[in-house]
Amino acid sequence: MLDRITGWLYERLGSRYWLVLAVGQALVSIFVALITVVILASYYDASTHDVVRLAAFGSILTAIAVLGGSLRTRAAFCAVRTWHGTPDPTPAETVKAWETASTLTYVQYRRNSWWINPFVVLPTSAFGVVLFDLGWADFFVLVLACVVPAVYATILSYSAGEMLSRPLVAAIAPQLADDFPFSRIGLPVRKRIMLGPSVYTIATALLVASLLGERSGSDDLVLTVAASVGIGLLLSQELSVLLAEAITVPIERVRAAMSRVEAGDLAARVPVTTSDELGELAHDFNLMVRGLEEREQMRAAFGTYVDKEVAALILSGQFPEEGVEIDVSIMFCDVRGFTSYAEAAPATEVVAVLNRLFTVIVPIVDRNGGHVDKFIGDGLLAVFGAPEVYPDHADRAVRAAREIVAATTALDTGLSVAVGVNTGRVVAGSIGGAGRLNFSVIGDAVNVAARVEAATRDTGDDVLITAATAAMLQSDIPLVSRGSIPLKGKSAPMEVLAPVPVAAPSAEQPV
């Protein structure tokens, strides 16, 4: 309810909302000041008129002090409002505005508390001495008695300031990036727990002792304050420590586990040691991490059957459903004589040899920036230039083809690999339906690559490329033309060229 009211006021008042902050904190402090005056007056034979005068004096000083402190932080409030008026703030500006809004009250009290309390307590105590016709030694008694309520008022008005500042923070928080640089610069939870109950207990003890105990001058007042502080601290410290341990320790455990997850340790778990909200937090955290672990396992399995770059692209959801037209280089490789070999060899041996060849071929494709589109029996179709766009995709494809031939020949399996490369425009996208999709490329350029590979049986070359690929080469790769040859499905012969063979690479080459 309070959040709705303050949110409505913030929307209506805009830059004038800082007055709500100032007045709200001042009213809380004035209320405590009035109670304090009544308590002090009860220890002396003061008339109602004198009590009213002292209460008015203390309230005016309190209002002046709190409003003066608010004026000192108005510049920070205006900085937040400036962010609201910026048409397109940068992420850094948004983070800065959020930090300013979320620490507005904390900075205000850290900057002003040291002078606000003396500004109110000292003159009020002096005026009380005059009104109640006391000796100046009693001045120090009144100051001592005002310390506890002053600290209590500070904590109470601080809490009010934080609640009233929520609309500022709530307006900025949705604009923050998920990975914005977060810094713990506000008042720590442990300090809140240690300070709050202690001061509240002491103030309560002082009020109860004043209502029920003897109230006959400064001696009783000093005794009441001393007893209230002693008993309050004795009762509250143990409670504060227990609360701090019960709340902050479980939170720190979750934070430590989150740091492990951020570092990649998805086995991190938080022990569920309580059956309250903090236990529920730990339980929900464990469920979340287990879900992340399962998702990562699925991603890893997905990447086993789909090229890693394609898997990342699909999971990102950024690739258009209708696909894109793009110029790429297509590499088709096939194992020569595999059909006759498969007829004579045991099935387990056939699979083992084929996997051995692909274990060599696939890393070469990856290393040169291509991705394996699909395995077709003993053949393989690879694409260079999609989904990752490379201007030198033709060079990468030809380089990979030459390395594949050299590497598979060095395996000494008794089988050889032939490769055909073609460059042209294709449509790249997710192909399929009924819940079964495959990222692939379609177009005449794909068919030509397969036909060029088949032509190696006629020319006797291990690698053949088309003139379109040769025209796209940016590096000086020695080529030998094999003339124009007819290709199945093409109405006119096409020129093919054979790169000069290279030796097997001794180590991985950078892309």
Side-chain angles (χ1 to χ4, degrees), residues 189-214:
V189 173
R190 178 175 287 272
K191 283 189 177 181
R192 296 171 187 258
I193 296 173
M194 296 297 290
L195 287 173
S198 298
V199 175
Y200 177 80
T201 304
I202 295 171
T204 303
L206 177 61
L207 180 60
V208 172
S210 299
L211 291 175
L212 302 180
E214 292 291 333

Side-chain angles (χ1 to χ4, degrees), residues 205-276:
L206 177 61
L207 180 60
V208 172
S210 299
L211 291 175
L212 302 180
E214 292 291 333
R215 299 190 299 275
S216 300
S218 296
D219 291 341
D220 286 341
L221 181 56
V222 170
L223 182 61
T224 300
V225 173
S228 300
V229 172
I231 295 174
L233 287 176
L234 182 64
L235 294 178
S236 65
Q237 280 306 297
E238 184 177 356
L239 175 63
S240 298
V241 171
L242 289 175
L243 282 175
E245 292 297 316
I247 295 174
T248 60
V249 170
I251 293 175
E252 288 299 328
R253 286 176 184 162
V254 174
R255 288 191 64 254
M258 290 175 64
S259 297
R260 290 174 58 190
V261 172
E262 186 179 9
D265 181 11
L266 296 181
R269 295 293 187 273
V270 178
V272 183
T273 57
T274 62
S275 58
D276 54 15

Side-chain angles (χ1 to χ4, degrees), residues 372-418:
V372 176
D373 184 290
K374 61 176 66 71
F375 295 95
I376 309 171
D378 62 315
L380 177 148
L381 177 65
V383 182
F384 296 80
E388 290 291 330
V389 178
Y390 294 111
D392 60 339
H393 54 79
D395 300 73
R396 293 170 179 269
V398 174
R399 186 167 61 243
R402 299 168 77 192
E403 291 179 11
I404 287 171
V405 170
T408 53
T409 301
L411 285 178
D412 193 23
T413 59
L415 298 173
S416 59
V417 174

Side-chain angles (χ1 to χ4, degrees), residues 121-127 129 134-144:
V121 169
L122 296 179
T124 302
S125 299
F127 193 47
V129 169
L134 304 176
W136 284 107
D138 295 316
F139 168 78
F140 299 100
V141 176
L142 294 181
V143 170
L144 177 64

Side-chain angles (χ1 to χ4, degrees), residues 45-107:
D45 187 18
S47 66
T48 303
H49 179 67
D50 289 339
V51 173
V52 171
R53 291 172 66 189
L54 183 61
F57 183 80
S59 299
I60 292 172
L61 283 182
T62 301
I64 292 173
V66 174
L67 292 175
S70 299
L71 281 173
R72 293 189 67 192
T73 56
R74 187 169 181 268
F77 179 86
C78 291
V80 176
R81 291 301 306 174
T82 299
W83 176 87
H84 279 280
T86 304
D88 189 19
T90 65
E93 290 173 338
T94 301
V95 171
K96 182 64 177 176
W98 178 84
E99 289 179 344
T100 301
S102 62
T103 60
L104 188 67
T105 305
Y106 180 57
V107 172

